[in-house]
Each structure stands twice: as C-alpha cells, then as structure tokens.
C-alpha cells in the first residue's frame, strides 16, 4: 500500500492501528491522520524503539491490514 492509499484508508484502518499499538492514545491516532511517517514516529516514541524497528512494524501492519 503506498502512502496515498494509506492516508485515504486511514479512517477504515485506524481501529486496527489502535489494536496493534494499544499504547497510542485516541488523540495520537487522530493526529496521525493517515500520515505514515507520523505513525512511525509515534510508534517509535511511545514504545522506545529504533526508527528501523518502527518502520518494520508499520510496513508489516500495512501488508496485513484488512481494508
């Protein structure tokens, strides 16, 4: 899924994102608003992981999300 598709489907997949990364707040999920890099940054920050790990998690999420 490219970044335009990700952004366009955000309203459909944000519930799945909330399930995967339960430590993200509803406000953070709303702030992300379909911006992939924003999601990577929030996951990295909230979970204290390296950017590469956050990128990998988001890529895996993109390929497995049901949208």
């Amino acid at each position: 899924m490219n970044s335009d598709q990700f952004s366009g489907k955000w309203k459909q997949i944000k519930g799945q994102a909330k399930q995967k990364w339960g430590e993200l707040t509803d406000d953070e999920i709303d702030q992300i608003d379909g911006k992939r890099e924003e999601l990577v940054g929030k996951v990295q920050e909230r979970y204290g992981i390296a950017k590469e790990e956050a990128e990998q998690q988001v890529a895996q999420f993109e390929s497995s999300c049901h949208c």
Side-chain angles (χ1 to χ4, degrees), residues 24-66:
L24 294 178
T25 66
D26 289 337
D27 286 343
E28 288 171 327
I29 293 286
D30 289 340
Q31 271 181 350
I32 291 164
D33 195 32
K35 296 180 222 97
R36 187 183 189 284
E37 286 302 312
E38 190 80 17
L39 176 58
V40 170
K42 291 291 182 190
V43 169
Q44 179 184 5
E45 177 184 320
R46 179 65 62 190
Y47 288 88
I49 58 176
K51 183 174 183 178
E52 294 78 23
E53 173 64 22
E55 285 274 0
Q56 187 177 28
Q57 286 186 23
V58 171
Q60 184 179 29
F61 173 74
E62 285 177 317
S63 66
S64 69
C65 72
H66 307 292

Side-chain angles (χ1 to χ4, degrees), residues 2-36:
N2 69 34
S3 62
D4 288 337
Q5 291 171 318
F6 188 78
S7 180
K9 294 184 179 198
W10 182 246
K11 288 184 184 203
Q12 297 168 346
I13 63 174
K14 70 182 187 178
Q16 294 173 44
K18 179 71 174 155
Q19 285 181 328
K20 176 153 180 74
W21 297 289
E23 291 187 25
L24 294 178
T25 66
D26 289 337
D27 286 343
E28 288 171 327
I29 293 286
D30 289 340
Q31 271 181 350
I32 291 164
D33 195 32
K35 296 180 222 97
R36 187 183 189 284

